[in-house]
Amino acid sequence: MNKLFFRTTVLAAVISAAFTLSSCSDSNDDMMTDMSFQRTITVENVATPKDFVQSGSFQGTGTPPVIMPGQSVSFKFNAGKTQALMFATMYGASKDWFFASQQPGIKLFDSNGNAITGDVSSSVLLWDNGTKDNMTGQAESKPIMQVPNVNASQLMKLNLAYNDVTSEFTLTVTNTSGGTANETPFSPGVWAVSNYNGSQLLNNAPFFTPNALSNPEITDIAQMGNISKMMTKLNANTGIMTGLSPTLIIVYRGDKNPIYELGKADSGMGLKDIAQFGNVTKLQNSLKSLSNVKGVYIAGNAPVAPGSKVTTSFNAEPGDKIAYATMFGFSNDWFYANEQSIDANTKGDITSKTTLFDSGTGIDQYPGAGNHQALFGGTPQSENMVISKVGTQYPVPAVQNVIKVTVN
């Protein structure tokens, strides 16, 4: 009897304990469900659009630094399809004449997207600034007009060379006016390449507007060969800008960010598609299959221009983390992502956790001026490098001046 009682008591205790444990487990599950929460993440493009992606100056090697007949000077610049080069330099032997091309500048690519190289002297024109009488030098106020009966291409030779890998041009300017009826030195000059936003140039009339009155910057060049005012204006209006792609956001568990691993090659799960083309679909599907990824969300469905933002909500539980990635749109293979881990329950501005990375899958070109960039309908030339932080090779704005990420 005692043995039977003991067995019965033990069995009852086991059943009771199992029931208790089961009840606790159910209670904990209910508590976890009750503690689940929803957050909203907003990704904003705060970049300041600039008229020009690149600009600079050129001058002779003498004192003063004019370009005399027979002398040449070269300078380099980057550009993609649709972009053009504008330059200006004084016709020195005049009261107020200057060399420049038609707006928006010298055409750099043909209709098939091939770079134009060789002699492009036919692009240069000679302009009368309309601010001084050509004979007396007295001040006047007339619109800028092309100088008649002077073939500018006989006075100035322009030659373009092109490096397809870097999408870099070299323009060589040669003073060929020697021995002509219009022999003249050229003053120091200025040049610029207008920014392109994916549909149009931000400035399609750099420096001046034909058939309109001149401005102080071009007037100083045309009358005195002084480029100071124009360079000040150009410096204030030149800079790299970018669009952003739709942003991929994940909720996950663990210490390892499933989107990327710094110092390792791209995993092939789809990060390359974001970094090169802003396409989130492949990575979205790949991450959904990972056991430690609890949710995949997409903010936006189109490129995010400066001044625009995208938002999405996500669900999470205590202990979850979030990670995100979006393309630096005007690049070959760059992306923004959080470098530091982020608790999913975090609220507020998390931009400081964001870093600009190079996916290592495409050869870099100047941001917003590379012919192999998706911005210009191109495909990056392949490379096989590890994922790294973008360095200082290009004057890229600070992270907080391009993207803002907040969670509420």
Side-chain angles (χ1 to χ4, degrees):
M1 168 126 7
N2 288 337
K3 290 182 179 179
L4 180 60
F5 176 79
F6 178 77
R7 291 192 187 108
T8 305
T9 304
V10 170
L11 182 59
V14 170
I15 294 172
S16 176
F19 178 78
T20 302
L21 289 173
S22 176
S23 297
C24 288
S25 178
D26 290 345
S27 176
N28 286 338
D29 287 345
D30 290 341
M31 287 178 63
M32 290 298 289
T33 302
D34 290 344
M35 293 174 66
S36 65
F37 53 86
Q38 185 178 77
R39 294 283 180 266
T40 298
I41 185 167
T42 300
V43 179
E44 185 175 0
N45 187 336
V46 295
T48 300
K50 300 283 190 175
D51 279 357
F52 308 106
V53 64
Q54 280 185 316
S55 62
S57 62
F58 58 92
Q59 62 181 35
T61 57
T63 304
V66 296
I67 304 165
M68 299 298 294
Q71 294 182 337
S72 297
V73 63
S74 297
F75 59 89
K76 298 179 183 295
F77 61 94
N78 298 87
K81 299 170 189 175
T82 76
Q83 291 177 306
L85 174 76
M86 176 54 75
F87 77 98
T89 177
M90 181 188 182
Y91 177 107
S94 72
K95 308 299 183 182
D96 67 340
W97 291 359
F98 65 96
F99 292 98
S101 73
Q102 292 276 17
Q103 303 289 12
I106 298 172
K107 187 177 180 180
L108 302 171
F109 295 90
D110 64 22
S111 58
N112 295 319
N114 299 312
I116 296 172
T117 59
D119 191 339
V120 292
S121 305
S122 60
S123 297
V124 67
L125 299 172
L126 186 59
W127 302 88
D128 185 333
N129 195 53
T131 50
K132 282 191 174 182
D133 182 272
N134 292 329
M135 299 300 294
T136 67
Q138 294 295 311
E140 61 182 11
S141 183
K142 294 181 178 179
I144 296 174
M145 301 289 289
Q146 190 175 340
V147 175
N149 304 319
V150 178
N151 187 344
S153 64
Q154 293 181 351
L155 309 179
M156 175 183 289
K157 181 179 179 181
L158 302 177
N159 188 81
L160 275 176
Y162 180 64
N163 182 325
D164 180 67
V165 175
T166 59
S167 202
E168 182 179 72
F169 288 88
T170 300
L171 180 70
T172 300
V173 180
T174 303
N175 188 332
T176 55
S177 68
T180 71
N182 298 98
E183 184 169 335
T184 180
F186 305 156
S187 75
V190 292
W191 61 267
V193 177
S194 292
N195 255 315
Y196 178 68
N197 66 6
S199 60
Q200 63 183 14
L201 297 175
L202 268 63
N203 191 328
N204 59 12
F207 303 174
F208 69 98
T209 302
N211 304 314
L213 293 178
S214 189
N215 56 70
E217 295 80 21
I218 203 69
T219 294
D220 271 15
I221 294 176
Q223 293 185 171
M224 300 175 288
N226 187 336
I227 64 173
S228 297
K229 287 182 180 178
M230 184 64 83
M231 282 308 304
T232 297
K233 186 174 183 178
L234 288 176
N235 289 337
N237 289 281
T238 299
I240 292 171
M241 60 175 234
T242 187
L244 302 174
S245 72
T247 302
L248 180 144
I249 301 105
I250 64 169
V251 177
Y252 72 100
R253 284 287 176 118
D255 296 327
K256 184 178 178 181
N257 186 335
I259 294 177
Y260 75 97
E261 188 171 354
L262 187 63
K264 297 290 183 68
D266 177 75
S267 65
M269 293 177 63
L271 179 62
K272 173 182 174 180
D273 289 39
I274 293 181
Q276 292 193 5
F277 303 106
N279 188 338
V280 300
T281 303
K282 183 177 179 180
L283 186 58
Q284 178 185 17
N285 292 332
S286 297
L287 292 172
K288 284 180 178 178
S289 67
L290 300 183
S291 59
N292 63 329
V293 174
K294 301 176 66 177
V296 183
Y297 305 85
I298 307 298
N301 55 16
V304 185
S308 301
K309 58 185 176 182
V310 291
T311 299
T312 191
S313 296
F314 63 86
N315 298 309
E317 296 175 345
D320 289 346
K321 297 177 181 177
I322 61 170
Y324 51 86
T326 180
M327 181 190 184
F328 184 102
F330 292 8
S331 72
N332 294 72
D333 67 336
W334 295 355
F335 66 99
Y336 285 111
N338 56 299
E339 181 177 3
Q340 306 170 41
S341 63
I342 303 172
D343 190 303
N345 204 22
T346 300
K347 288 186 177 181
D349 189 336
I350 59 173
T351 306
S352 62
K353 298 181 181 295
T354 308
T355 299
L356 181 59
F357 295 98
D358 185 333
S359 73
T361 59
I363 295 176
D364 290 337
Q365 297 173 324
Y366 198 97
N371 206 32
H372 290 285
Q373 294 165 2
L375 173 67
F376 302 100
T379 298
Q381 292 178 285
S382 180
E383 68 175 0
N384 187 20
M385 306 290 286
V386 299
I387 296 170
S388 61
K389 297 180 185 180
V390 171
T392 58
Q393 180 179 359
Y394 306 107
V396 182
V399 171
Q400 68 271 19
N401 292 333
V402 177
I403 186 172
K404 181 178 181 180
V405 185
T406 53
V407 178
N408 293 300

